[in-house]
Amino acid sequence: MLKIAILVWLVLATTFAGAAIMFVLAMPSLAGQDMQLIPIAAAIGAVVAIPAAYVVAKRILAVTAKQV
């Protein structure tokens, strides 16, 4: 399950980090601090993707186990 979770995390971490960065860039009140907030937002997105990847990997294994 760990291998599947890592592959799913690669996709989700990129997506969540990109969404968090877009949030920072879209907020006019954060425009002055964007150079400090972009790495923080990317790190938060990658960390939030860890439990999401675990849940998705668990569901993938549950569906594929039923088919075998």
Side-chain angles (χ1 to χ4, degrees):
M1 181 166 116
L2 182 62
K3 291 179 184 180
I4 295 173
I6 289 172
L7 290 174
V8 171
W9 177 79
L10 288 172
V11 174
L12 289 180
T14 306
T15 304
F16 287 2
I21 290 170
M22 292 303 296
F23 176 78
V24 169
L25 293 175
M27 297 298 289
S29 61
L30 302 176
Q33 302 171 352
D34 58 351
M35 295 302 279
Q36 291 87 19
L37 294 177
I38 287 176
I40 294 169
I44 289 172
V47 170
V48 168
I50 294 171
Y54 178 76
V55 169
V56 171
K58 197 172 183 181
R59 289 186 181 183
I60 289 172
L61 284 177
V63 169
T64 56
K66 290 178 183 177
Q67 295 177 356
V68 173

